[in-house]
Amino acid sequence: MGAVTETFRIRPARTSDVAAIKRLVAPLADKRILMAKETVAYYESLQEFRIAESADGEVIGCGALHVMWEDLAEVRTLAASDAWRGKGVGHVLVESLLEEARALGVSRVFCLTFEVDFFKKHGFDVMADQTAVDPVVYSELLRSHDEGVAEFLDLARVKPNTLGNTRMIRFL
């Protein structure tokens, strides 16, 4: 089960949630805050997603935890509907994803964000050292086809997607 508040709950995503995830992400992708993805990418990563659902069953937020390595994961695709922004949806989603990371044995959680103050409230710090992995792990991560991994590694091919974002990390 997931976290529950008086007005909404957090649960694992289902295939029927993909359209709602896309609707939540679309306005943020238009503003270049989040990256738009093809529908197939949401289905392929569905197990990573947690959904915030209102008491009446409306999908009001989403977030994903993507494991990158033995000790490293990324919080990604964190979004809340306009009507629910500022009501704790993002906070509860992040805490749920951090709990998931602990359960998986991850000791570091990364994010690439414009919302520095929000993530600082959750114990994330701006990454002082952009090389957060050792050279052997770096070379292994280079083999990934995942755009989020490329963003984490700060590869030139993803620079247009990462401009203005801040790399942050939390040690669990």
Side-chain angles (χ1 to χ4, degrees):
M1 195 67 175
V4 178
T5 72
E6 291 180 20
T7 55
F8 64 90
R9 69 183 184 116
I10 306 298
R11 62 166 175 78
R14 298 186 288 255
T15 57
S16 59
D17 296 321
V18 169
I21 292 169
K22 287 187 69 162
R23 278 194 303 274
L24 288 168
V25 170
L28 298 170
D30 289 345
K31 296 176 187 173
R32 298 187 55 93
I33 294 170
L34 291 179
M35 280 185 19
K37 297 178 184 173
E38 297 295 331
T39 302
V40 68
Y42 290 113
Y43 283 112
E44 289 173 341
S45 61
L46 193 66
Q47 301 91 322
E48 299 176 353
F49 275 87
R50 296 295 170 263
I51 296 296
E53 181 177 71
S54 68
D56 64 0
E58 177 189 1
V59 174
I60 58 172
C62 65
L65 182 74
H66 179 74
V67 175
M68 298 169 74
W69 200 252
E70 176 183 7
D71 63 338
L72 183 66
E74 177 188 11
V75 169
R76 56 170 61 167
T77 321
L78 186 66
S81 70
D82 286 339
W84 283 83
R85 211 163 276 132
K87 297 181 179 178
V89 172
H91 290 287
V92 176
L93 277 164
V94 168
E95 289 304 317
S96 178
L97 295 170
L98 292 172
E99 184 179 307
E100 177 85 8
R102 285 183 198 93
L104 291 170
V106 171
S107 60
R108 299 179 298 163
V109 179
F110 152 81
C111 68
L112 186 63
T113 186
F114 290 104
E115 302 295 335
V116 173
D117 291 338
F118 173 85
F119 280 97
K120 279 185 176 179
K121 290 177 186 173
H122 291 279
F124 285 76
D125 293 308
V126 174
M127 288 175 57
D129 179 8
Q130 296 300 312
T131 57
V133 295
D134 68 49
V136 173
V137 173
Y138 183 91
S139 66
E140 288 288 333
L141 289 174
L142 281 174
R143 298 176 187 177
S144 174
H145 297 289
D146 185 90
E147 289 297 303
V149 173
E151 290 171 350
F152 173 76
L153 296 175
D154 202 23
L155 301 180
R157 68 181 170 85
V158 294
K159 288 286 188 191
N161 296 329
T162 62
L163 291 175
N165 280 299
T166 300
R167 284 177 171 70
M168 299 184 77
I169 197 158
R170 165 132 182 220
F171 295 88
L172 302 178

